Structure formats: C-alpha cells, structure tokens
C-alpha cells in the first residue's frame, strides 16, 4: 500500500494552520519527502514518522518556503539515530545551498558533535545529487523522475512523477511543485491516480508590503484555480489534491467553483497532516 501525506500546505505567509510546503510519500514502509518547508519535522512527528526514517529528500526548487527546514531535518534525523548518509535530490544549486547552511551552523554543529558524543557519526555524512530531467531514482518497485515545470524566473524548477510498479495496474502520482500551467506538466500527469498541485487563489493589495506589480508578478508564476481545473481535465487525473495555498486562508467555495468549470473528478482541498491512500 502507498500513502500520500500532506505535511505542510502553506506558502511563504506564516500560518498556524498551514505549515511550509512539504509532501510525504510512503510505500512499503519507506518514506520519501518532497520539499522541506517550515515546520516539517514537527509535522513528521505528528504523522508518526521520525526524521531519521526519511529515505531521501526531493527538492522541487530553491525558493525559501520549500527549503527552509533542510538543516533542521538533517540535524533532527541525526539526533533520532540516523546512521546513514543524509540524501538530497534537487536542482542545480542545491549542493551550494546546503553547504552554505552547514557553514552557517559550523560552530554549532562542531560543538554538538564534540559534547554530545553520539555514536552515529555516519549520520552526519550527506550525499547531494543535482539533477536534470534525465535523472531517475529507482528502488525496488518504485521509480521517481523529475520533469521541468515553468516557474520562471526560478530556473530550473521541477515537478516529480512517482510510479509504483508492483501492482496489477501501474499507479502514478505527480507532484507539480510551483508552476504555471504548462504542457510538460499535463503530459507527465496524464492518467495519474493523483495529481498534487499548488494553487494561487488571490492576494489583497496592501500598500505597506506590496507594489502595484507584486500581485500580478506572484500570480504570474503560479496557477489559478481555473487553470488547475483545465490541467486536471486535460490530463484525465483521477484525484486532484490541492496544496501550497496562496494565501493560506481562502474561500473554499470559490476555489471549488472555479475548478469545477473544467474538471468534474475528485477534488481534495488539502490540509496539513491529511493522509490519502493511493
């Protein structure tokens, strides 16, 4: 059995209801994490999963809300007994980003290691694979592949396609990452059992923190509810699971109505710690 858990369904705006973007895919007891937003280790704990039990972290892109807690995941996994390398797969720049995190915490980490005398020093080793769309991760009956999405000017940015190969009928889950509506996403999501997709609903203008271009520019590199409905219909997905809500508080009736203009399938408005069987 495979499950999908929405650990964090928020965006950069702080919310006590919706933590930073992060999605957990679990298959045969193995845990695969997609993005590492603020509060991910607390959400893992609430879901009954240790940071040390994450097989590998897949990063969609290097916006702060998607990578904020990578060091926390790294150090808490070591605290919880991880005795193998901390593994990250992500776009170009991921290695430099993580190594800069380690530099920032160098003295703190050295002090912990020297004083706490933990036996699992191998758990502080790490492996980072910077990918392109030709990369494929394979483990037993699972295959995870990235594909490019359009989040320009953030480049590269990826979605991920997960295929479970041990069933009578192959199962497919697609995670959009942050993106505009684009054909490459539709092609990779075709006939998916579940599409986990970000959504931009609206932003109210506030002259104290926005310029006139702010709302249009933020809207421009995300996907509207109407466009998400069009994507789900074109790709013939069985379940549409919404996450990364901008803003974190919104009119659910409006969101559903906009999607229903195109897509009449199963729409799930995500919330933190929601678990779905695939």
């Amino acid at each position: 059995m495979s499950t999908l858990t929405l650990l964090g369904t928020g965006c950069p705006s702080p919310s006590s209801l919706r933590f930073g973007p992060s999605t957990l895919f679990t298959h045969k007891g193995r845990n695969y994490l997609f993005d590492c937003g603020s509060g991910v280790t607390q959400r893992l704990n609430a879901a009954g999963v240790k940071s040390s039990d994450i097989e590998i972290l897949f990063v969609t892109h290097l916006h702060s809300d998607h990578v904020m807690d990578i060091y926390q995941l790294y150090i808490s996994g070591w605290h919880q007994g991880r005795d193998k390398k901390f593994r990250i797969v992500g776009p170009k720049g991921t290695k430099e980003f993580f190594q800069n995190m380690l530099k920032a915490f160098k003295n703190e980490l050295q002090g912990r290691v020297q004083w706490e005398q933990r036996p699992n020093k191998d758990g502080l080793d790490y492996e980072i694979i910077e990918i392109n769309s030709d990369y494929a991760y394979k483990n037993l009956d699972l295959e995870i592949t990235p594909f490019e999405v359009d989040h320009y000017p953030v480049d590269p940015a990826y979605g991920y396609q997960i295929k479970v190969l041990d069933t009578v009928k192959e199962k497919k889950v697609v995670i959009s990452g942050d993106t505009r509506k684009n054909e490459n996403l539709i092609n990779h999501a075709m006939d998916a059992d579940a599409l986990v997709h970000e959504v931009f609903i609206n932003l109210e203008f506030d002259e104290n923190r926005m310029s006139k271009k702010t709302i249009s520019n933020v809207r421009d590199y995300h996907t509207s509810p109407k466009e998400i409905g069009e994507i789900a219909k074109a790709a013939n997905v069985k379940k549409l699971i919404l996450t990364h809500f901008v803003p974190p508080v919104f009119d659910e009736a409006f969101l559903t109505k906009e999607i229903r203009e195109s897509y009449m399938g199963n729409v799930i408005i995500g919330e933190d710690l929601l678990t779905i069987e695939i």
Side-chain angles (χ1 to χ4, degrees), residues 14 24 26-27 30 40 44 46-47 67 79 83-84 99 105 118 143 147 209 211 213 216 218 223 254 278:
L24 179 71
T26 302
H27 179 64
R30 294 177 180 265
V40 65
L44 282 169
V67 295
H79 285 165
D83 57 4
K84 58 186 178 181
Q99 289 177 338
F105 285 97
R118 295 179 186 269
E143 181 177 279
F147 58 91
R209 61 190 186 91
S211 70
K213 287 290 290 181
S216 62
V218 173
T223 314
F254 168 80
I278 303 299

Side-chain angles (χ1 to χ4, degrees), residues 63 150-154 178-181 198 200 216-223:
H63 260 163
D150 183 4
H151 195 41
Y152 183 84
V154 180
D178 282 9
T179 183
R180 298 176 176 91
K181 179 183 176 184
E198 64 117 273
F200 177 93
S216 62
N217 281 0
V218 173
R219 179 189 295 115
D220 181 61
Y221 65 178
H222 290 290
T223 314

Side-chain angles (χ1 to χ4, degrees), residues 229-250:
E230 293 167 353
I231 291 167
K233 180 181 179 181
N236 190 37
V237 302
K238 295 178 178 65
K239 284 190 183 80
L240 173 62
I241 304 167
L242 301 174
T243 189
H244 193 289
F245 296 96
V246 182
V249 178
F250 53 89

Side-chain angles (χ1 to χ4, degrees), residues 10-277:
C11 64
S13 297
S15 168
S16 60
L17 299 176
R18 299 186 182 277
F19 286 13
S22 186
T23 302
L24 179 71
F25 184 79
T26 302
H27 179 64
K28 291 188 173 179
R30 294 177 180 265
N31 299 294
Y32 307 90
L33 188 64
F34 294 83
D35 285 334
C36 198
S38 179
V40 65
T41 55
Q42 287 83 356
R43 288 306 198 212
L44 282 169
N45 180 264
V49 178
K50 292 181 179 180
S51 300
S52 55
D53 290 337
I54 297 300
E55 293 286 324
I56 189 163
L57 167 65
F58 295 89
V59 175
T60 60
H61 65 293
L62 296 175
H63 260 163
S64 61
D65 53 322
H66 293 257
V67 295
M68 183 60 69
D69 271 12
I70 291 182
Y71 183 79
Q72 170 63 10
L73 182 69
Y74 169 74
I75 197 70
S76 66
W78 175 63
H79 285 165
Q80 292 177 335
R82 184 183 61 241
D83 57 4
K84 58 186 178 181
K85 289 181 180 179
F86 181 68
R87 301 175 69 194
I88 308 175
V89 166
K92 183 179 179 181
T94 301
K95 180 178 285 188
E96 180 183 15
F97 175 80
F98 183 67
Q99 289 177 338
N100 283 338
M101 275 187 155
L102 293 183
K103 286 180 184 176
F105 285 97
K106 179 181 177 181
N107 292 339
E108 189 268 354
L109 182 56
Q110 286 180 345
R112 284 185 182 276
V113 171
Q114 292 169 6
W115 181 255
E116 295 178 8
Q117 295 292 304
R118 295 179 186 269
N120 55 321
K121 288 187 178 180
D122 288 346
L124 293 174
D125 290 341
Y126 61 90
E127 177 184 11
I128 299 174
I129 300 174
E130 294 190 340
I131 56 173
N132 57 34
S133 53
D134 294 327
Y135 171 83
Y137 171 85
K138 296 181 180 180
N139 185 4
L140 302 175
D141 49 19
L142 193 72
E143 181 177 279
I144 302 173
T145 54
F147 58 91
E148 291 188 30
V149 294
D150 183 4
H151 195 41
Y152 183 84
V154 180
D155 183 32
Y158 293 102
Y160 286 95
Q161 182 188 82
I162 307 165
K163 288 184 178 179
V164 179
L165 309 173
D166 68 334
T167 56
V168 175
K169 184 180 181 299
E170 178 183 287
K171 291 186 177 182
K172 181 165 75 173
V173 176
V174 172
I175 295 173
S176 73
D178 282 9
T179 183
R180 298 176 176 91
K181 179 183 176 184
N182 66 93
E183 289 299 317
N184 201 37
L185 169 61
I186 293 171
N187 290 338
H188 282 85
M190 193 63 65
D191 298 321
D193 294 274
L195 169 61
V196 183
H197 205 292
E198 64 117 273
V199 56
F200 177 93
I201 301 155
N202 61 50
L203 284 177
E204 294 184 6
F205 180 70
D206 179 349
E207 65 180 6
N208 293 318
R209 61 190 186 91
M210 300 174 181
S211 70
K212 291 182 177 180
K213 287 290 290 181
T214 301
I215 293 177
S216 62
N217 281 0
V218 173
R219 179 189 295 115
D220 181 61
Y221 65 178
H222 290 290
T223 314
S224 72
K226 183 175 183 296
E227 290 171 325
I228 291 169
E230 293 167 353
I231 291 167
K233 180 181 179 181
N236 190 37
V237 302
K238 295 178 178 65
K239 284 190 183 80
L240 173 62
I241 304 167
L242 301 174
T243 189
H244 193 289
F245 296 96
V246 182
V249 178
F250 53 89
D251 184 338
E252 291 191 12
F254 168 80
L255 172 60
T256 303
K257 178 177 178 292
E258 291 282 293
I259 291 171
R260 288 293 184 212
E261 288 186 11
S262 300
Y263 178 68
M264 299 308 294
N266 188 0
V267 178
I268 299 172
I269 297 177
E271 57 187 44
D272 285 20
L273 295 175
L274 175 66
T275 296
I276 302 159
E277 288 190 14

